[in-house]
Amino acid sequence: MNKSVLVLEGGAMRSLYTSGVLDVFMNNNIDIDCTVGVSAGALVGSNYVSNQKGRTANININYCKDSKYIGIGAIKNNKGLIGFDYLFGAIAKNNPFDEEEFFNTKKRFVIGVTNCITGKTEYFDKDLKNIYKLLQASSSMPLVSKIVEINGKPYLDGAIDCNVPIDWALEQGYEKIIVVLTRNKEYRKKQLSSNIKRMYKLVYKKYPNLLKTMYARPNKYNKTYDKIEKLEDENRIFVLRPRNNVDISRLERDQDKLRCLYKEGIDETKKQLENLKKYLYED
């Protein structure tokens, strides 16, 4: 196979679509050389690299109503709406992450996080010392999660500056690029409301560059989606995405909706599997 990379968008609970996609990959031995993800895409991608089919879906569907994972319990224990301590602690104890496979595999794994001081994305390869901190930082959504400090630097959600790390994949020179999105083809992000801007300014006034990035995010997001569509039309990348609008909130707790989105990821990937193999394996 030519040097290949898997590029994963975030989207919090919308990543159930991605988990369906990657479970089909694992069931069909679709091994990609490198996985790069931001936000929830990084969390899902880590389970692909550790070759753990169903782990992402099992955790998010089974624990979405647990307030220690999402809700009041998480606020109490983790100072944010998502209980990362609980996710990497008690939940992981019942659903162990295969660290041995993750760190020993030759598959490269890259996490994108947003530096609050510069407002820019930084990319980190898998690191035994900081892997859980990096996953937490990349998935720490503004306003609902606390800032995560790594090596003395403050970080937040990797999707703030880069919703889909397609430019990173292109700059790295990968020849075969598979992109998994969590929004349908027609989706474009709306401009921020004045209320959201005020909230951002109130909470992150210490980080003026981060604020600039946050304010510019809708336009950058939409330009990235436009670019992906153009690259897809040119057959330079292979894209898997939901066919219809995804009616799932970022912190969705409706298990039936999550199961349906997970199944949609599975079904769409099965339909596209032969085309995907042709893209990967044929010159």
Side-chain angles (χ1 to χ4, degrees):
M1 183 193 299
N2 292 323
K3 193 166 59 167
S4 57
V5 61
L6 180 61
V7 178
L8 305 179
E9 183 177 18
M13 284 300 191
R14 290 193 301 274
S15 66
L16 263 293
Y17 178 86
T18 309
S19 65
V21 171
L22 298 189
D23 281 355
V24 175
F25 278 29
M26 287 183 273
N27 280 329
N28 288 274
N29 299 313
I30 303 294
D31 290 326
I32 309 300
D33 299 322
C34 173
T35 298
V36 57
V38 295
S39 199
L43 285 170
V44 180
S46 67
N47 291 317
Y48 169 70
V49 175
S50 65
N51 197 34
Q52 292 182 269
K53 294 185 289 289
R55 185 173 185 267
T56 298
N58 288 337
I59 288 174
N60 285 314
I61 293 172
N62 292 332
Y63 288 90
C64 67
K65 292 186 177 182
D66 189 330
S67 73
K68 293 191 292 295
Y69 183 34
I70 302 172
I72 295 175
I75 294 173
K76 179 181 177 181
N77 298 321
N78 213 178
K79 297 181 181 179
L81 277 174
I82 302 174
F84 290 104
D85 292 346
Y86 187 54
L87 173 62
F88 299 136
I91 292 178
K93 186 176 181 180
N94 294 325
N95 303 268
F97 180 60
D98 192 341
E99 290 187 2
E100 183 176 359
E101 175 66 22
F102 179 81
F103 285 109
N104 289 336
T105 180
K106 292 181 180 179
K107 294 177 185 176
R108 188 182 180 193
F109 181 64
V110 180
I111 304 171
V113 293
T114 302
N115 184 314
C116 295
I117 296 173
T118 65
K120 301 299 182 183
T121 308
E122 292 182 11
Y123 293 96
F124 294 86
D125 278 84
K126 55 186 177 183
D127 180 328
L128 178 61
K129 180 181 178 182
N130 289 319
I131 185 61
Y132 295 111
K133 278 290 184 183
L134 288 167
L135 289 171
Q136 178 179 348
S138 189
S139 304
S140 291
M141 295 181 290
L143 301 180
V144 302
S145 300
K146 65 181 181 180
I147 288 173
V148 178
E149 187 172 295
I150 301 173
N151 297 328
K153 296 180 182 180
Y155 293 99
L156 269 178
D157 196 331
I160 296 172
D161 180 49
C162 176
N163 59 304
V164 187
I166 183 67
D167 286 336
W168 181 91
L170 292 168
E171 290 165 3
Q172 292 284 308
Y174 285 101
E175 299 168 10
K176 300 290 185 177
I177 301 175
I178 301 95
V179 179
V180 183
L181 304 178
T182 56
R183 292 287 196 179
N184 60 302
K185 191 172 186 177
E186 295 75 22
Y187 178 82
R188 294 299 183 271
K189 191 171 287 295
K190 296 178 181 178
Q191 296 300 314
L192 298 177
S193 68
S194 56
N195 286 336
I196 289 293
K197 286 183 176 180
R198 281 195 291 269
M199 291 176 69
Y200 281 160
K201 188 173 183 179
L202 178 65
V203 176
Y204 302 111
K205 58 186 176 182
K206 287 173 54 179
Y207 304 105
N209 290 324
L210 179 66
L211 285 172
K212 289 179 184 177
T213 300
M214 288 175 162
Y215 296 159
R217 186 176 182 235
N219 288 335
K220 187 171 184 179
Y221 184 105
N222 294 339
K223 286 179 180 177
T224 299
Y225 259 46
D226 290 342
K227 182 172 186 175
I228 287 170
E229 196 168 329
K230 182 175 182 294
L231 291 168
E232 182 183 21
D233 290 341
E234 295 170 351
N235 200 36
R236 294 177 60 190
I237 65 175
F238 191 96
V239 182
L240 288 160
R241 58 164 74 82
R243 287 187 175 269
N244 301 307
N245 181 50
V246 179
D247 182 25
I248 295 282
S249 69
R250 291 188 301 171
L251 301 178
E252 184 65 60
R253 305 182 78 176
D254 186 322
Q255 291 173 313
D256 289 336
K257 282 187 174 182
L258 296 176
R259 289 190 188 97
C260 286
L261 186 58
Y262 173 58
K263 185 176 184 299
E264 183 178 350
I266 291 173
D267 292 344
E268 181 62 24
T269 308
K270 286 181 177 178
K271 289 177 185 177
Q272 296 292 333
L273 195 57
E274 291 308 312
N275 290 331
L276 173 64
K277 289 179 179 179
K278 287 180 182 178
Y279 172 79
L280 280 174
Y281 302 118
E282 294 182 4
D283 293 333

